Amino acid sequence: MMVNVRHVKVKNLLSPTKLGADFVINPYIGCPHGCHYCYAAGITRERGGRAEPWGTFLDVKHPAVPFDPAKIFHKEILLSSMTDAYNPYEERAQATRAILRALLPAQPDITIITKSALVTRDIDLFKEFPHVKVIVSFSSLDDGFRRKMEPHASSPQKKLAALAALKEAGIGTSVMAAPIFPGITDCAALIEAAAPHVSEMNFDTLNLRNQNRESILAIVNTLRPELTGLYNEIYRQGRKDYWQTLRGEIKDNCRRFAVRASVFF
């Protein structure tokens, strides 16, 4: 797939956030991972006026002014909320790596959320910060499903290997199981696979929005037609007990593997 890459100037890279940190940095606008369910797709279209299909464009941000170390000294910084800082283009552009280098004098705590095994490239820099936690996101351990729903994200196997490498290097690790696809995301298997590499996991549902509801339901119907009825019950008829039952199963399995569980449904 061709991605239209532009370089854009921005006032600065830091934005205040309430997402568990003091500031968030999004090195890019857009994301070549092309996940069909991404909430950032609709927000980017609304705020940025981008009409291109999600995953086909990427803006590399260049700030007008450098970071002020005094402003972010020992603060908490999140990478990222509206893009993946380790999307495939990062391997070439190294925008995220440059940002990490620029942040070093301020010694902030860093939290990274990613779907990419590329994150292990920067272990050397992570070790120079007081604290770094890498949260690796999974929607399934089924790589065939990943190729359809998250076409350019790393495979589940590569992400598990990345978690192992990060833990071995002494970097904090966590898993975000999100979005959970009913009947497809095997939470029990994911907990068992990730447990050797993490002490905590987070879980959230698949929330369909007007802009992606029909396309996602169509993909699921094509890949797993036997689940059409279940998805109709949950997403068209408002069935709630599925999530209530799953919540209990997740907590039971996390206790079994001594993993702390945060369930957001």
Side-chain angles (χ1 to χ4, degrees):
M1 180 186 68
M2 294 294 296
V3 177
N4 179 27
V5 177
R6 304 188 311 186
H7 292 261
V8 299
K9 292 183 178 180
V10 296
K11 184 177 179 181
N12 62 67
L13 289 172
L14 286 170
S15 298
T17 183
K18 296 180 180 179
L19 297 174
D22 298 301
F23 298 98
V24 63
I25 296 176
N26 288 289
Y28 301 95
I29 299 171
C31 182
H33 281 158
C35 303
H36 289 284
Y37 52 77
C38 186
Y39 67 88
I43 297 173
T44 301
R45 290 191 189 101
E46 292 170 7
R47 295 180 182 176
R50 304 300 292 262
E52 306 100 310
W54 183 249
T56 67
F57 65 89
L58 186 74
D59 292 351
V60 186
K61 294 182 180 180
H62 297 277
V65 295
F67 296 119
D68 177 359
K71 181 178 180 180
I72 57 175
F73 184 68
H74 286 183
K75 296 293 187 181
E76 297 181 6
I77 295 178
L78 171 66
L79 290 164
S80 301
S81 61
M82 295 290 291
T83 187
D84 193 317
Y86 289 94
N87 71 74
Y89 190 73
E90 167 62 20
E91 188 168 11
R92 184 190 321 172
Q94 298 199 22
T96 298
R97 187 168 176 85
I99 287 168
L100 289 170
R101 287 188 180 279
L103 291 172
L104 275 173
Q107 288 288 281
D109 289 347
I110 305 291
T111 299
I112 295 165
I113 304 174
T114 185
K115 293 180 179 294
S116 175
L118 178 61
V119 68
T120 59
R121 179 201 64 188
D122 291 338
I123 285 176
D124 62 325
L125 287 179
F126 297 160
K127 291 181 176 181
E128 298 186 43
F129 287 92
H131 179 71
V132 173
K133 179 167 73 172
V134 177
I135 304 172
V136 179
S137 176
F138 292 78
S139 64
S140 175
L141 289 177
D142 180 350
D143 194 45
F145 179 75
R146 188 275 311 169
R147 288 195 297 269
K148 295 293 185 181
M149 196 62 72
E150 309 166 352
H152 302 290
S154 293
S155 71
Q157 292 71 29
K158 288 182 178 179
K159 288 190 288 187
L160 288 169
L163 283 168
L166 290 161
K167 183 180 180 182
E168 177 68 21
I171 308 301
T173 55
S174 180
V175 160
M176 172 64 80
I180 294 172
F181 283 82
I184 296 173
T185 307
D186 188 338
C187 291
L190 179 56
I191 293 166
E192 182 174 4
H197 316 305
V198 302
S199 59
E200 63 178 20
M201 294 181 66
N202 307 291
F203 302 83
D204 206 356
T205 61
L206 169 66
N207 294 307
L208 299 184
R209 296 165 177 81
N210 289 335
Q211 66 267 24
N212 65 15
R213 175 183 298 268
E214 296 307 319
S215 63
I216 290 178
L217 290 177
I219 293 172
V220 171
N221 184 57
T222 298
L223 296 176
R224 298 289 299 274
E226 74 277 12
L227 295 176
T228 299
L230 176 63
Y231 276 71
N232 284 338
E233 290 175 9
I234 294 172
Y235 293 105
R236 300 189 192 280
Q237 300 169 22
R239 176 182 168 185
K240 304 293 185 183
D241 66 296
Y242 179 88
W243 300 114
Q244 295 168 355
T245 300
L246 183 60
R247 184 188 305 118
E249 294 173 353
I250 286 171
K251 291 184 175 181
D252 287 344
N253 278 292
C254 282
R255 279 193 292 267
R256 177 185 168 203
F257 287 98
V259 172
R260 294 194 304 276
S262 296
V263 183
F264 301 111
F265 57 87

